[in-house]
Structures are given as C-alpha cells and as structure tokens.
Amino acid sequence: MSQTEAVIHLVAGGVAGTVGAIVTCPLEVVKTRLQSSQSGFTTQIPLIAQERISSTCNTFGTQRRRLWTTSGRLTPQVVALSGYGPSPSSQSMSLVKCLKHIIKHEGPLALFKGLGPNLVGVAPSRAVYFLTYSQAKMFWNGCLPKETPIVHILSASCAGFMACTLTNPIWFVKTRLQLDLNKDNRITVKQCVAQIYRKSGIKGFYKGITASYMGISETIIHFVIYEAVKAKLIEHRLKNVQNYDTTKNYRDFLEFMVAGGLSKTIASCMAYPHEVARTRLREEGNKYHRFWQTLGLVAKEEGIRGVYRGLGTQLVRQIPNTAIMMATYEAVVYLLSVRFINYEDA
C-alpha cells in the first residue's frame, strides 16, 4: 500500500466514524443507560404498593411466595425496592419513552452527553481501525490464500486490537459522561478525567479493556459477513449485467449500506453481552471487577435478560450507524482514490 492509499483509508475511516457518531448519538446515550445498573429510567412505586410489599416481607406461609418467582428469584417489585438490579420501569420503558425521560429530567442537550469525547475518539478510532484493517489484509493476502475468510478474520482481529488499545481511555470517559444523571451540575470532561485519575491512576482509564478485547469477536463476525455479502453482490452484478461499469454509482453505495447493516446486526446479536459487561465495569463503584465475574453477577441477579439489556436500542442505533459509516467509508475511499491516485498515475 502506497503512502497516498494509507492516508486515504485513514481519512475515510475518520470521516465515516464521525458522521455515524453524530447522527446516532442520542441512541448511544440511551443504549449506555440501559446497559448500566444505574440507568435513571426509574419511576417511584406508589406508596400503597410499597406498603403491600413491606407487609409481604414480614409475613410467612402463602404470602411469602409473593416475594419469589418460580425460578427462585425475587420478584421485580421487591428487587426494585431493595435497590438491587433494574426496576420494572427500566426494563419495560420503550426507546421513545427513554428519550422523553432524558429530555424531561435532564434537558435536550443530555441526548448528546459524551459527544465531545465520542467525536474526539471516533475519528482516530475508526481511522486506525480501517487503516490497520486494510494494511493487515494486504499482509495476510500475501501469506495466505487471497480474500478468504481467514484473511478477513485475522485482519479484523489486528484492527480491533489496535483500535481498542489506543482509544479505550476516551471511551471510558465517554461512558462516565453518558451515565451522569445531573441536569444542572453536569460533570465536565476535565472533571471526569481528574476524578478517574485521582481514584485509580492511569490504570483506571483501562478498566473494562478486557471486555473491549472480547468485543473484537463482534468486529470479526461483522467484517467476515460484510466482505462475503459484498463479494456476492459484486459477483451477482458481473454475471447479470452486461458491460459492467466499474465506476461507482448510487446503487453500489446502497448495497454497501445493506451489507454493512446486515453484517453488523448479526454480529451485534451474537457478541452483545460483552457490551453490557464493559459498561458495568466502567460504572462508579466496586461491585464489578473482571469480565467473567461481571457477566456472571449480572446473569445471577437479573437473569439472561440482564445480559442483553439495551440490545433493541443497540440494533436501532447500530444498523443505521454502520450502514452510514460503511457507505461513507467506501464513498470517501472511492472519491479520494479517483482524485489523487489517478492524478498521480497521470
């Protein structure tokens, strides 16, 4: 890969990530809140209900069964009052209600909490990712059979590891800002960084890095499927379209969006629990310590649904975000390649 091509992939990745982050920031805030054990999407249980539950807690016999479900877990009402795990309202609240809740209690600007670090981080993160992916793919294509799934897996692994390692502190700060529920006295980026450093030092910014590394599996699945779908689309076009023109048009970028959205949906569903673990590890407090310990604790206290909290919002956010990002990336690479590489060749 020439220096010009490397810069093109770097710029394309940065532009693509920035566009996707701005468009889907409100959904990102909701998703992070849902993944957290401190979502803020709670409502007060009426006093009568509290009295009934309190009375139930002090009785025996048949009334005691009201405290427990058939699976041996505390009922949602008791869990909510005890302060452990999510409340019923935080589980049943729809995406629209979550957005309205944030606007009502924290103001419209709260929908863009963490956007600053997100923009600071997404451009270099996506740029590093796409640059590493394209260079790694060229390297592995020289060592292994070209454009095979193993090449895409190894390339995505290298790219994911590099991006996670370099940008984890930025994402850590972003998550803390998105979990800040204050309306009038919002924590600033500077205060957040100082607070984290004062409590945990440099290591504190890498809390949850293990979960991020586990998330590389999602990027592997994503790019393997994306490359396969894109190859099939190109193959289909070559077979069925006479005098196929290699010049890109709107149909090509629409297909890139479909391929990106489809591949990311499948990948997100398969690897989603690592996101919940990562968010919990980045919370305030000392309840969650390690990746597997966090997943086990969430599953024990909240059941399998707890491990997949926020998946619906993640899909609503991720599909358009990935589709926009992949189409923007392909478009920028194509436009810059036509402009600069062809110019150099001439």
Side-chain angles (χ1 to χ4, degrees):
M1 178 179 288
S2 68
Q3 185 176 3
T4 301
E5 289 177 306
V7 172
I8 286 174
H9 285 282
L10 196 69
V11 172
V15 173
T18 301
V19 173
I22 293 173
V23 173
T24 61
C25 185
L27 298 176
E28 169 75 11
V29 173
V30 173
K31 181 207 73 170
T32 302
R33 296 281 184 90
L34 289 172
Q35 290 174 344
S36 171
S37 62
Q38 306 162 5
S39 67
F41 299 140
T42 58
T43 56
Q44 294 296 324
I45 296 178
L47 182 60
I48 296 177
Q50 293 184 30
E51 291 175 351
R52 287 179 179 175
I53 293 173
S54 177
S55 175
T56 304
C57 292
N58 295 323
T59 59
F60 297 90
T62 57
Q63 286 187 334
R64 185 178 179 184
R65 289 197 294 270
R66 299 179 192 175
L67 291 170
W68 306 91
T69 63
T70 55
S71 61
R73 294 190 180 92
L74 288 171
T75 58
Q77 291 82 1
V78 175
V79 171
L81 288 178
S82 64
Y84 297 100
S87 69
S89 58
S90 65
Q91 290 182 324
S92 60
M93 193 178 282
S94 66
L95 172 59
V96 175
K97 288 183 178 180
C98 290
L99 292 170
K100 289 181 178 179
H101 180 92
I102 293 174
I103 294 173
K104 178 181 178 181
H105 295 278
E106 303 172 49
L109 290 179
L111 294 175
F112 292 90
K113 279 185 175 181
L115 179 59
N118 209 358
L119 293 180
V120 170
V122 73
S125 174
R126 292 295 91 188
V128 168
Y129 187 94
F130 281 113
L131 175 61
T132 306
Y133 180 79
S134 58
Q135 289 188 322
K137 190 164 71 168
M138 292 190 68
F139 171 79
W140 293 116
N141 276 331
C143 304
L144 301 168
K146 292 185 177 180
E147 298 300 326
T148 54
I150 187 62
V151 169
H152 300 151
I153 289 173
L154 292 174
S155 301
S157 299
C158 294
F161 181 84
M162 185 67 70
C164 287
T165 303
L166 293 178
T167 60
N168 192 78
I170 300 174
W171 305 134
F172 188 93
V173 173
K174 181 207 72 171
T175 301
R176 282 290 179 88
L177 291 174
Q178 290 179 338
L179 294 177
D180 177 32
L181 305 180
N182 294 320
K183 178 181 179 180
D184 301 321
N185 190 25
R186 293 172 181 166
I187 187 172
T188 64
V189 174
K190 184 178 180 179
Q191 290 171 337
C192 184
V193 171
Q195 186 183 78
I196 296 169
Y197 182 77
R198 186 171 59 254
K199 288 185 177 180
S200 309
I202 296 296
K203 289 184 178 180
F205 292 96
Y206 283 89
K207 192 175 181 183
I209 188 68
T210 305
S212 294
Y213 287 149
M214 295 297 291
I216 293 175
S217 61
E218 179 179 332
T219 61
I220 292 173
I221 298 168
H222 168 212
F223 268 87
V224 168
I225 297 175
Y226 175 75
E227 295 281 6
V229 172
K230 190 170 74 169
K232 286 294 182 182
L233 290 172
I234 294 174
E235 181 183 346
H236 175 76
R237 186 80 66 85
L238 291 172
K239 285 183 178 180
N240 295 278
V241 179
Q242 294 181 349
N243 300 322
Y244 176 69
D245 186 3
T246 56
T247 303
K248 297 288 191 300
N249 55 42
Y250 76 93
R251 181 175 176 180
D252 291 277
F253 296 113
L254 181 61
E255 289 178 349
F256 291 147
M257 291 181 73
V258 172
L262 175 64
S263 59
K264 193 62 176 181
T265 299
I266 297 173
S268 294
C269 291
M270 294 179 67
Y272 185 75
H274 89 273
E275 291 215 20
V276 175
R278 184 175 60 196
T279 298
R280 298 294 177 95
L281 285 167
R282 291 173 177 173
E283 288 179 356
E284 290 274 10
N286 300 313
K287 186 176 181 180
Y288 305 108
H289 307 285
R290 297 174 302 280
F291 176 74
W292 292 112
Q293 176 263 345
T294 300
L295 277 184
L297 188 58
V298 172
K300 179 181 179 181
E301 292 184 346
E302 304 171 31
I304 192 64
R305 288 186 178 182
V307 179
Y308 284 90
R309 286 183 69 190
L311 176 59
T313 303
Q314 167 73 343
L315 294 179
V316 172
R317 184 195 76 88
Q318 198 68 272
I319 293 173
N321 180 64
T322 304
I324 292 169
M325 186 177 66
M326 298 307 296
T328 303
Y329 172 74
E330 299 281 3
V332 173
V333 167
Y334 173 72
L335 292 174
L336 293 180
S337 297
V338 169
R339 172 66 179 84
F340 293 102
I341 295 180
N342 287 357
Y343 177 79
E344 286 183 354
D345 292 341

